[in-house]
Amino acid sequence: MITVSLCMIVKNEEQILQRCLDSLAGLMDEIIIVDTGSTDATKEIAAKYTDKVYDFVWIDDFSAARNFAFSKAGMEYIYSADADEMLDEKNRAAFLQLKQTLLPEIEIVQMYYANQLSHGTIYNFDKELRPKLFKRNRTFWWQGAVHEQVAITPVIYDSEIEICHMPQNSHKDRDLAAFERLTRAGEILDKRLHNIYAKELFISGEEKDFLAARAFFQASCTDSMRGDEELKEAACVAARAARLAGDVADFFKYAMKVVACDGCAEICCELGEYYRQIEDYDEAVVWFYNAAYETECILSVRSGREIPLKGLADCYRALGNAEQVAEYERLLQEHKA
C-alpha cells in the first residue's frame, strides 16, 4: 500500500476545514497544513488533526505556497486538497482501494472535480479530471534501444474518484483582482492563464472587471506570440469591454476580428445585445439565433444556450410576437431544468 501526505494551503477556513479533514480521516498517512494568514480559528481546527501546521507569509503567489507545503511532505505520494472539497463514503472507499492497488510506475493520479456548476466557478463542466495525487520523487529511466533518451513525460492514471467541490462563495473577486494586479505589473500570462482570465470574465465578471481588463486584452490582440485561440478569446473580451464603455467603433473592430475567424457564441451574443440595446430587434434576433444554434461557445457555456434564448425571448416580446416569446421561454426553462 502506498503512503500519502495530504498537503493543503488555507486561510480563514474555520467554517469548512473540519468537514474536509473529516472526509479524509483514515486515508492520509501525514497531514500538512500551511496557513497563509488566518485571523479566525483555522489553525486551531487544523491542530486537532496534525502537529504539522506551518505559517507562510502570503506573497500573492498560490504556487509558492503550494510548493512550500509540498516541500514538507515525507510520504511516497502527495494529495493536494482545498478546504472546500470533500469525499463522500463511496469515494473514500475508492481512494482506499487506490492506495492498495496503485502501480509504482504511476506518477500522477487524476480525479474528477465535481459539482462545478452549482457554485459559480470558472468552469464550464460539472465535473472534469484534475491531477490530485502526485508521486513525491519521480523516477527517471532511459527508453529506446537506440537513440535512447530519458523519459520525461509523467505516467498519469485517470481514476474514477469524484471529489465534491463545495465552496461557500465564489472566488471571482479575488481571482480577477489578482489577474488585474499581474497584468498591470506587466506580467506575461501564459496560454492557460490567458484562457482562465478570459473565461472568468465571461462567466462571472462585472462591468468594472471588463473595463479593468480592456487594455490587456487589446494588447493581446496584436501580440504576435499569441496563437489563434488566444487572439479569438482576447478579441471577445476586448469587444465586450468596448461595448460596456460605449465605444462603438472599438466594439465592431474587435467583434469583426472574431467573426472573421468563424465566430463564436460569445461574440454573437455581444452583437445581439448591441442591437437589442439600440432597439434593432430584428437584427438582434439574427445574432442571438446564431449564438444558440449556429456557433460554438469558447469561454462560457451560457453564451451558447441560456443567454441567447433569453435574448430571443426578450426581442420577440419587444416585437410583439407572443408565440415566439412562449417558444423561447419554454426552451429556456427546459435548458435550466
Side-chain angles (χ1 to χ4, degrees):
M1 180 185 295
I2 63 166
T3 58
V4 181
S5 298
L6 169 65
C7 287
M8 301 179 66
I9 59 172
V10 297
K11 180 180 179 181
N12 293 337
E13 304 286 10
E14 65 178 4
Q15 296 184 30
I16 57 176
L17 181 59
Q18 181 173 336
R19 179 186 68 191
C20 173
L21 293 173
D22 282 346
S23 79
L24 298 174
L27 297 175
M28 301 297 149
D29 301 282
E30 177 181 54
I31 297 176
I32 294 160
I33 298 180
V34 172
D35 188 90
T36 62
S38 292
T39 56
D40 62 4
T42 294
K43 290 174 67 175
E44 287 76 9
I45 294 169
K48 296 177 182 178
Y49 295 84
T50 179
D51 60 356
K52 296 181 179 180
V53 180
Y54 302 92
D55 290 310
F56 181 84
V57 177
W58 184 242
I59 55 172
D60 290 329
D61 190 328
F62 284 95
S63 291
R66 291 202 189 278
N67 286 335
F68 177 77
F70 274 34
S71 75
K72 301 297 182 181
M75 299 295 122
E76 295 171 275
Y77 284 81
I78 298 172
Y79 180 65
S80 180
D82 290 325
D84 58 8
E85 301 172 7
M86 67 165 293
L87 289 177
D88 60 19
E89 285 304 315
K90 174 184 176 182
N91 289 288
R92 276 177 50 82
F95 197 108
L96 181 59
Q97 183 179 29
L98 178 76
K99 286 188 66 178
Q100 295 169 338
T101 60
L102 190 66
L103 297 174
E105 60 265 30
I106 302 297
E107 296 174 308
I108 295 176
V109 177
Q110 297 203 115
M111 302 176 187
Y112 283 102
Y113 214 55
N115 206 35
Q116 291 287 74
L117 297 181
S118 301
H119 296 279
T121 63
I122 67 166
Y123 300 96
N124 287 313
F125 303 96
D126 203 42
K127 71 175 188 177
E128 62 179 357
L129 282 168
R130 287 191 183 183
K132 295 294 291 181
L133 188 68
F134 306 87
K135 196 165 191 177
R136 188 169 63 86
N137 290 321
R138 285 196 64 184
T139 301
F140 292 95
W141 68 93
W142 291 90
Q143 62 182 15
V146 66
H147 295 300
E148 69 281 1
Q149 64 178 3
V150 172
I152 58 175
T153 302
V155 180
I156 300 174
Y157 169 64
D158 294 341
S159 76
E160 293 298 320
I161 297 171
E162 291 190 12
I163 300 162
C164 189
H165 186 210
M166 301 175 66
Q168 288 185 295
N169 45 56
S170 170
H171 298 310
K172 64 101 176 173
D173 288 333
R174 177 199 70 188
D175 293 346
L176 290 172
F179 277 124
E180 182 185 352
R181 183 170 60 252
L182 289 170
T183 54
R184 284 187 182 277
E187 191 81 18
I188 303 298
L189 301 187
D190 63 19
K191 181 178 180 179
R192 184 182 70 90
L193 289 179
H194 189 276
N195 175 256
I196 290 176
Y197 192 8
K199 274 185 180 177
E200 192 147 13
L201 284 165
F202 267 85
I203 292 172
S204 57
E206 301 174 24
E207 180 174 336
K208 63 180 178 61
D209 301 315
F210 276 92
L211 296 180
R214 185 181 181 186
F216 171 76
F217 283 101
Q218 283 179 331
S220 282
C221 288
T222 59
D223 186 346
S224 61
M225 300 302 291
R226 296 288 181 188
D228 290 343
E229 292 179 10
E230 294 166 283
L231 296 176
K232 196 171 181 179
E233 65 196 22
C236 284
V237 176
R240 166 76 75 88
R243 180 176 64 78
L244 293 172
D247 189 337
V248 175
D250 238 26
F251 169 67
F252 279 101
K253 172 183 175 180
Y254 291 105
M256 291 305 102
K257 287 182 184 292
V258 183
V259 172
C261 295
D262 298 325
C264 63
E266 286 82 0
I267 212 64
C268 289
C269 284
E270 288 304 307
L271 287 160
E273 184 59 24
Y274 169 79
Y275 285 112
R276 189 189 70 80
Q277 288 182 352
I278 64 170
E279 300 182 2
D280 187 345
Y281 299 112
D282 288 316
E283 188 66 17
V285 163
V286 172
W287 290 104
F288 282 131
Y289 186 89
N290 269 273
Y293 298 106
E294 302 294 340
T295 53
E296 300 292 332
C297 51
I298 63 171
L299 296 170
S300 170
V301 291
R302 294 181 64 244
S303 299
R305 204 65 176 160
E306 180 181 338
I307 292 172
L309 289 176
K310 183 179 185 304
L312 286 164
D314 290 344
C315 288
Y316 279 118
R317 185 175 294 105
L319 291 168
N321 189 329
E323 183 178 350
Q324 289 284 51
V325 171
E327 174 63 8
Y328 284 111
E329 287 187 338
R330 180 186 67 80
L331 291 170
L332 181 59
Q333 289 307 311
E334 284 183 358
H335 171 70
K336 289 181 177 180

